[in-house]
Amino acid sequence: MITVIGSINMDLVVMTDRAPEAGETVLGKDFHQIFGGKGANQAVAAARCGAKTTMVGRVGNDSFGDTILKGLKQEFADGAAIERIDGVPTGIAVILVDAKGQNRITVVSGANHTFNEESIEAVRPVIARSRVLLLQLEIPLDAVRQSLAIAREEGVFTILNPAPAVELPADMYQLIDLLTPNETELSILTGLPTGTRPQQIEAARTLHRRGVKSLIVTLGSYGSLYIDHEKNVKHIPAYHVKAIDTTAAGDCFNGAVACEIDRTLAKRLTGIFAPTTDELVRAIEFATKASAISVTKIGAQPSLPYRHEIDDFDDWYRAHTE
Ligand code: RIB
């Protein structure tokens, strides 16, 4: 089982030919109100890939909260551990998507920001019965740190997608089994340049020294790099498809990776806790297919594929190759 503790947003999405410059007005082409939030997106991605998933999140007592609660409950077999918080709005994200499918996102956290160490301690039993805990950085850092610490105490495999990136407290790294930054996030975490492959490997080594066991560095159209503390480095190429909207492609990737790690660990007959390099590379290959499908559809959660679509990827790709 996977537990995701993270953000839930209503995405207010404007499709436009190009984003306005400062002080400029442009006419948009379309507007959509779509379920989002990095936490919810990753949880839905994992569930659609077939993992038993629990989403721990918070919304406000408002109409966005009503709509999201109804929608998210249908995604998870056991429902979701979503609390309603009085006096704060549901989180929202204002998203501009241009003609190339690139996005610009501003998040107003609302209820997502009300998590604290105490509220995380209250979900310890949920974390303890998981095999994998998946986190992002759209809830307060104290809450993320406490979630990681509980997972470590309870023997749960931890994945942190450090988005949006901020410098992390030094003692947090040793609680992370798998860190999944993109190139920019890797640079923010380490303060190092990450524009070339040697630089990416050096930055990853810096994080290994701080205590992280393995990293997947996502590199957009270049694919991703798997780098572990035993000096294994593997490049997994991306698929080239015509992107309509890249929103949540990273979330899709993280949810799918978590799903495959959970499946791998579920098959273990011995107490070996972490996936091997080969198992992780297979998980990344699966997730790369999932995110290629996701960028061909508009919006965060509507773009997340189901397992049968990923299993049929080869046929799908023949029809969608650029
Ligand atoms: O990663 C995409 C997500 O970032 C959007 O759904 C938006 O809500 C923001 O959290």
Side-chain angles (χ1 to χ4, degrees), residues 201-239:
I201 294 172
E202 185 44 43
R205 297 270 175 260
T206 301
L207 297 180
H208 291 145
R209 285 193 287 275
R210 291 182 196 169
V212 176
K213 293 210 177 62
S214 305
L215 282 98
I216 302 171
V217 183
T218 54
L219 301 166
S221 61
Y222 183 68
S224 51
L225 277 185
Y226 168 74
I227 312 170
D228 68 23
H229 67 296
E230 284 166 345
K231 297 202 176 353
N232 292 304
V233 179
K234 306 266 178 197
H235 173 229
I236 296 89
Y239 294 94

Side-chain angles (χ1 to χ4, degrees):
M1 179 187 128
I2 299 174
T3 293
V4 180
I5 303 178
S7 58
I8 300 174
N9 294 332
M10 184 62 89
D11 289 352
L12 308 174
V13 183
V14 171
M15 312 296 291
T16 174
D17 278 336
R18 66 173 181 84
E21 302 293 333
E24 188 191 17
T25 301
V26 297
L27 293 181
K29 289 169 51 167
D30 234 330
F31 172 72
H32 306 276
Q33 210 166 283
I34 297 176
F35 295 163
K38 292 186 196 302
N41 296 344
Q42 294 183 21
V44 169
R48 290 189 186 168
C49 286
K52 188 165 183 257
T53 308
T54 296
M55 168 75 209
V56 176
R58 295 183 153 199
V59 293
N61 237 327
D62 51 17
S63 62
F64 282 164
D66 292 340
T67 320
I68 289 172
L69 265 185
K70 262 190 230 136
L72 274 186
K73 275 193 178 143
Q74 291 167 11
E75 296 284 348
F76 307 108
D78 292 345
I82 299 174
E83 276 182 273
R84 307 208 68 167
I85 307 296
D86 287 329
V88 284
T90 296
I92 60 113
V94 174
I95 305 184
L96 274 185
V97 182
D98 68 21
K100 291 183 184 149
Q102 299 298 325
N103 59 58
R104 290 164 179 78
I105 304 182
T106 306
V107 171
V108 181
S109 297
N112 297 311
H113 220 70
T114 63
F115 274 109
N116 56 27
E117 290 183 12
E118 215 182 328
S119 51
I120 297 297
E121 196 54 50
V123 293
R124 178 184 281 267
V126 179
I127 301 174
R129 62 171 184 264
S130 316
R131 253 187 304 269
V132 176
L133 176 71
L134 175 59
L135 299 156
Q136 315 73 29
L137 296 178
E138 282 188 338
I139 61 171
L141 265 186
D142 284 357
V144 174
R145 199 199 166 284
Q146 181 69 2
S147 305
L148 289 167
I150 292 175
R152 182 52 55 88
E153 283 163 25
E154 304 289 350
V156 176
F157 187 87
T158 58
I159 308 175
L160 175 64
N161 173 227
V166 288
E167 278 183 40
L168 299 179
D171 64 347
M172 201 150 139
Y173 287 101
Q174 68 217 14
L175 302 172
I176 302 168
D177 291 310
L178 178 63
L179 187 71
T180 61
N182 64 22
E183 193 181 323
T184 314
E185 290 154 0
L186 182 62
S187 179
I188 293 171
L189 295 177
T190 57
L192 295 170
T194 55
T196 65
R197 189 185 294 197
Q199 289 173 341
Q200 289 150 8
I201 294 172
E202 185 44 43
R205 297 270 175 260
T206 301
L207 297 180
H208 291 145
R209 285 193 287 275
R210 291 182 196 169
V212 176
K213 293 210 177 62
S214 305
L215 282 98
I216 302 171
V217 183
T218 54
L219 301 166
S221 61
Y222 183 68
S224 51
L225 277 185
Y226 168 74
I227 312 170
D228 68 23
H229 67 296
E230 284 166 345
K231 297 202 176 353
N232 292 304
V233 179
K234 306 266 178 197
H235 173 229
I236 296 89
Y239 294 94
H240 292 280
V241 294
K242 185 164 170 34
I244 306 287
D245 179 3
T246 56
T247 308
D251 298 333
C252 179
F253 181 90
N254 277 277
V257 162
C259 171
E260 293 309 280
I261 291 174
D262 183 54
R263 282 168 91 93
T264 298
L265 296 180
K267 288 183 206 141
R268 288 278 201 273
L269 297 174
T270 66
I272 300 170
F273 165 69
T276 63
T277 300
D278 286 349
E279 287 167 339
L280 273 167
V281 168
R282 277 199 294 279
I284 297 168
E285 286 166 350
F286 177 83
T288 304
K289 293 177 182 174
S291 52
I293 298 172
S294 79
V295 302
T296 63
K297 298 179 194 164
I298 291 175
Q301 287 170 35
S303 74
L304 303 170
Y306 290 86
R307 185 161 201 102
H308 68 88
E309 297 175 76
I310 307 165
D311 288 343
D312 291 342
F313 183 81
D314 292 346
D315 289 341
W316 178 90
Y317 188 53
R318 267 190 286 279
H320 287 81
T321 309
E322 260 202 309

